[in-house]
Amino acid sequence: MSPLDPAAVAALYDRHGAKQDGAGWYEDPPLRRLMQHLALADAGAVLELGAGTGRFAEWLLDALPPTATYTAVDLSGEMCRLARARLERFGARITVRHAAADAIEPPDGAFDRTVSAYMFDIWSEDVIRDTLDGIHRWLRPGGVLGLVSLTEGESWLGRAVSSTWAAVHRRKPEWVGGCRPLKQAPLLDETRWTITHRSVVRAWGIPSEVLVARRR
Ligand SMILES: C[S@@+](CC[C@H](N)C(=O)[O-])C[C@H]1O[C@@H](n2cnc3c(N)ncnc32)[C@H](O)[C@@H]1O
């Protein structure tokens, strides 16, 4: 279920642009939780799908070894422009690709970490599963996948907020960036992934699921 097609999502984020950084009030606590589970000190090549303005990339790059490379992929040309400008200081370690996450074809095993925050919650479960197939190929065995998305609350407040969000998404998906509460864990095929961390982090009432899995 995605009420917006890729062209509409790209146009939405081309218009939204730097305003995405204003979502830090509910995104930052779950993103900080994700950082704790990525073992970045041992990483060599990181892929981020739906990287937006490059704000999380900056956190990642500041924590990565100085030799590690980072590749951002985003559907929105404006987001790619903002990410390139923000990450310029990291020089040749950075690649920013203007493309859909399920349209890239890096070599098998090219990355040892893949992350994506608040992108899967835009797309249908079929698109998410296709994208996960690609990620599984691009990660080397033992590589780490880290995901964050809006999710359904586990407390009464979290459930009230997520069901209100879902109702807005059904009527006006563009008001909420095309994102709706999603349960990511059931979408990972357990014959291909081992979940090493799952938590729901609620920031100012908004619940996000943090999911980390190791590629088998
Ligand atoms: C809600 S924003 C999140 C941005 C950033 N990850 C963050 O947490 O601030 C979603 C981002 O994913 C991008 N995006 C959506 N669908 C995509 C796709 N299929 N492939 C690549 N990027 C996509 C959008 O252009 C946008 O920049």
Side-chain angles (χ1 to χ4, degrees), residues 69-115:
T69 60
Y70 166 90
T71 301
V73 175
D74 204 286
L75 197 55
S76 151
E78 173 63 5
M79 288 304 202
C80 290
R81 187 189 67 73
L82 291 166
R84 282 192 194 99
R86 175 176 237 146
L87 303 176
E88 201 178 1
R89 71 184 164 103
F90 296 99
R93 294 171 61 199
I94 302 302
T95 306
V96 178
R97 288 196 54 186
H98 181 197
D102 56 357
I104 59 167
E105 270 309 329
D108 291 358
F111 300 100
D112 53 22
R113 302 288 183 279
T114 297
V115 296

Side-chain angles (χ1 to χ4, degrees), residues 47-49 101-102 104-116 119-120 127-141 143-147 188 192-193 213 215:
L47 171 67
E48 183 176 7
L49 301 173
D102 56 357
I104 59 167
E105 270 309 329
D108 291 358
F111 300 100
D112 53 22
R113 302 288 183 279
T114 297
V115 296
S116 189
M119 183 195 80
F120 275 174
V127 170
I128 296 170
R129 286 200 175 89
D130 284 351
T131 309
L132 285 168
D133 283 350
I135 295 172
H136 192 268
R137 283 195 306 280
W138 312 328
L139 268 179
R140 66 161 170 74
V144 176
L145 168 66
L147 301 174
L188 290 193
R192 310 178 98 197
W193 301 98
R215 180 212 193 278

Side-chain angles (χ1 to χ4, degrees), residues 9 13 20 27 50-52 74-76 79 99-101 117-119 122-123:
V9 171
Y13 283 98
Q20 178 62 32
E27 289 193 355
D74 204 286
L75 197 55
S76 151
M79 288 304 202
Y118 303 100
M119 183 195 80
I122 297 173
W123 299 108

Side-chain angles (χ1 to χ4, degrees), residues 43-74:
V46 179
L47 171 67
E48 183 176 7
L49 301 173
T53 65
R55 203 168 67 91
F56 187 49
E58 242 179 351
W59 296 13
L60 294 170
L61 282 151
D62 284 334
L64 282 166
T67 50
T69 60
Y70 166 90
T71 301
V73 175
D74 204 286

